[in-house]
Amino acid sequence: MPGTGLLKGLGVTLKHMLRRSVTQQYPHEKPNLPPRSRGVIALKEENCTVCYLCSRECPDWCIYIDAHKETHEPIGGGRGRSVKVLDRFAIDYALCMYCGICVEVCPFDALFWSPEFEYSEPRIGDLLHDKEKLGEWFETVPDYQPYEAGSEAKVKKVPR
């Protein structure tokens, strides 16, 4: 029957029009965020091997990494071992587009999504956050949960 799609659409619109709006008073009431919400990128400095992969893959070039090499003397003889030491790791959130490519390409799990979203600054130049601030945000990263409750039942198998 022609016009049923239009009537269904108008029914949905009418249903939402008559529903009471929900307004959160943000500074006084914190929002209930979903468990996997993406706020800001956090750094676990111990896992970073200074491979520069995140800064190379970033489409905005907003990740700045500086490092130096140190040679550790062997205990039982032999050749010394060269290790990179992280001096600077900074992300310029004025440039970042929050695509998450850096988090995905990190082979050593040094970058994570933190649900922290309150990091506004009065000056745009203050949005360059260093490894100390990124390390503080790592404390807010939730534990990994592979699935939310009931999500296994929602997955449909595609027929081949």
Side-chain angles (χ1 to χ4, degrees):
M1 179 182 252
T4 56
L6 178 66
L7 290 175
K8 285 181 184 179
L10 288 173
V12 170
T13 303
L14 185 62
K15 182 175 81 171
H16 285 282
M17 259 179 44
L18 298 176
R19 191 181 298 171
R20 213 177 151 183
S21 64
V22 178
T23 304
Q24 289 183 343
Q25 304 298 324
Y26 166 63
H28 307 293
E29 295 178 23
K30 302 294 182 189
N32 292 330
L33 298 174
R36 292 187 182 189
S37 61
R38 296 166 58 171
V40 69
I41 298 167
L43 171 71
K44 185 173 182 181
E45 190 175 348
E46 304 88 53
N47 289 1
C48 184
T49 60
V50 196
C51 65
Y52 298 100
L53 194 56
C54 55
S55 64
R56 282 184 293 180
E57 294 296 324
C58 180
D60 289 334
W61 294 88
C62 64
I63 299 175
Y64 308 106
I65 301 174
D66 291 328
H68 70 277
K69 284 189 176 183
E70 289 183 357
T71 303
H72 297 286
E73 295 299 322
I75 297 172
R79 227 173 51 175
R81 183 174 170 198
S82 178
V83 177
K84 289 182 186 175
V85 178
L86 184 66
D87 292 330
R88 176 183 181 222
F89 191 102
I91 299 177
D92 190 354
Y93 286 105
L95 297 175
C96 184
M97 63 180 184
Y98 303 92
C99 63
I101 293 174
C102 58
V103 176
E104 297 298 322
V105 300
C106 182
F108 299 102
D109 288 333
L111 297 174
F112 295 90
W113 282 109
S114 169
E116 185 69 36
F117 64 93
E118 296 178 310
Y119 56 95
S120 63
E121 298 289 341
R123 291 183 33 233
I124 196 166
D126 294 337
L127 286 172
L128 180 67
H129 294 295
D130 58 352
K131 64 181 179 179
E132 286 79 22
K133 185 66 174 175
L134 299 175
E136 289 174 16
W137 284 331
F138 178 72
E139 303 300 323
T140 64
V141 174
D143 292 334
Y144 178 72
Q145 299 170 353
Y147 291 110
E148 295 172 4
S151 63
E152 294 91 0
K154 295 179 185 176
V155 177
K156 295 180 182 177
K157 293 185 178 179
V158 178
R160 293 186 184 233

